[in-house]
Amino acid sequence: MMNLQTLEYFIAVVKEKSITKASEKLFVSQPALTKQIKRLEEFLGFSVFERYSHGVTLTNKGEHFYKDIEPTINKLRFDMAKHMANQTIKMGSDPFLATYYYPDHLGYKGEMDIQLAKVTDDAMELIALMQSGEIDGAIIQDHPHHKGLFSSWLFDDVFYACVPEKFDCLNGKSISITDCLQYTQLLTPSVTPLYKRMKNLINKHVREGESPEIIEMPYHALMGFVAQGVGISYLPDIVVQKINYKGVKFLPIQDTPLKRTFYLYALSEKLHDSLKRVFE
């Protein structure tokens, strides 16, 4: 039996005039796409493409088939998009975005009802949940693409140093990473991206045997310990712009060595494009 995905693959190859280019756009392997096209040809009982070293062209029968089904596929896409207004979209996130980014967007009532369904620091867990269908999309840090999912760049975010006000030696308008690393580092647990980034910076900027003490704790506890003068921590710009914590100064880090990039993911290209309009 033929399915919609196979027809979508066929249309993508027609538009790209290349199985290789279509596979890249669809985020599927070239052999898998070739197998789908062969399955379509077996189902129809005729070849839909003439294959050349530089790409493919439609056979006469393939062209007639394409002209017959494309309007139907386009209408189906339109109807699906129209009914997305009644669909709840389940999204995944990390804790920072869940607290400081998603609230600005969750009230959107245009094309869809967006709900935050899963919060975790583990990007691969979010990807696995999308692949299993438990969530429909996610905003994921520093992982630009994954096979079988649709993704694109969403925004970049830099970190600020969170410095105790009582540290009189740090009264400037900015701070270098080497100055930060002279103090105890208050970091989220070792499995988190922030911890891994700081360990890389410590290895890069600090001599062996002179590494600062690292204290791990949940992210929501960081500012309380900074305010008490226990050490220095780091928060992203999307958080710093929305909080004011007594006893803590937020200083830009010179040359921004600590930053991250977020990518929007979705199960389908249509859903991805709709979410992109919401989050941009």
Side-chain angles (χ1 to χ4, degrees):
M1 180 175 290
M2 191 50 50
N3 59 44
L4 177 61
Q5 184 182 63
T6 301
L7 296 178
E8 291 276 19
Y9 285 174
F10 165 67
I11 289 174
V13 175
V14 173
K15 292 184 180 299
E16 296 297 324
K17 297 182 175 62
S18 165
I19 290 179
T20 301
K21 291 180 180 179
S23 68
E24 293 172 354
K25 184 173 182 179
L26 294 167
F27 294 102
V28 298
S29 68
Q30 185 173 335
L33 182 55
T34 300
K35 185 176 180 180
Q36 290 290 330
I37 298 301
K38 287 183 177 179
R39 182 178 299 173
L40 173 63
E41 291 177 326
E42 290 172 0
F43 181 81
L44 294 172
F46 58 83
S47 297
V48 293
F49 291 115
E50 297 283 359
R51 292 159 173 82
Y52 303 97
S53 59
H54 60 275
V56 299
T57 60
L58 285 166
T59 63
N60 288 335
K61 288 186 176 181
E63 186 169 0
H64 288 303
F65 176 67
Y66 172 71
K67 288 180 179 179
D68 283 342
I69 70 163
E70 192 201 18
T72 303
I73 297 297
N74 285 338
K75 185 178 186 307
L76 181 58
R77 290 169 177 162
F78 175 81
D79 290 341
M80 290 176 67
K82 181 176 64 177
H83 288 288
M84 283 180 67
N86 300 319
Q87 181 181 359
T88 297
I89 305 301
K90 295 175 290 184
M91 295 292 292
S93 170
D94 72 17
F96 285 114
L97 291 183
T99 304
Y100 299 101
Y101 182 78
Y102 273 90
D104 293 336
H105 301 279
L106 289 182
Y108 181 82
K109 294 296 181 182
E111 296 180 1
M112 62 194 77
D113 177 22
I114 301 174
Q115 294 184 2
L116 189 57
K118 180 65 177 181
V119 178
T120 176
D121 273 312
D122 188 346
M124 299 313 295
E125 181 180 353
L126 293 175
I127 286 173
L129 289 170
M130 277 187 283
Q131 291 174 321
S132 68
E134 293 184 52
I135 59 176
D136 304 299
I139 297 177
I140 292 179
Q141 177 179 326
D142 297 328
H143 192 80
H145 54 80
H146 196 86
K147 183 179 177 181
L149 299 174
F150 294 84
S151 62
S152 66
W153 173 88
L154 191 59
F155 67 92
D156 295 321
D157 196 24
V158 299
F159 281 76
Y160 281 66
C162 309
V163 180
E165 287 185 348
K166 62 180 67 176
F167 283 12
D168 294 334
C169 58
L170 298 176
N171 286 327
K173 295 183 179 180
S174 65
I175 187 173
S176 69
I177 193 66
T178 53
D179 284 340
C180 290
L181 297 178
Q182 295 178 21
Y183 299 89
T184 297
Q185 303 291 292
L186 306 177
L187 302 177
T188 47
S190 59
V191 295
T192 61
L194 174 60
Y195 184 99
K196 294 174 182 177
R197 277 190 174 82
M198 289 310 303
K199 282 294 290 184
N200 288 335
L201 288 171
I202 289 171
N203 293 337
K204 180 178 179 181
H205 293 282
V206 179
R207 294 178 182 176
E208 187 175 354
E210 298 180 3
S211 296
E213 179 186 8
I214 296 176
I215 301 177
E216 299 177 41
M217 63 185 67
Y219 82 93
H220 57 264
L222 293 172
M223 293 306 98
F225 281 82
V226 173
Q228 294 299 317
V230 176
I232 285 179
S233 192
Y234 310 89
L235 284 180
D237 181 56
I238 61 171
V239 177
V240 171
Q241 298 304 323
K242 294 187 176 182
I243 69 170
N244 183 18
Y245 205 100
K246 185 177 180 180
V248 179
K249 293 187 296 184
F250 300 106
L251 299 179
I253 304 174
Q254 296 164 13
D255 300 321
T256 59
L258 196 57
K259 53 189 174 182
R260 56 187 185 167
T261 300
F262 286 98
Y263 299 88
L264 175 64
Y265 274 77
L267 283 173
S268 70
E269 185 175 15
K270 289 296 180 183
L271 176 58
H272 169 272
D273 293 345
S274 296
L275 289 172
K276 189 84 168 180
R277 291 194 295 272
V278 172
F279 289 108
E280 284 186 333

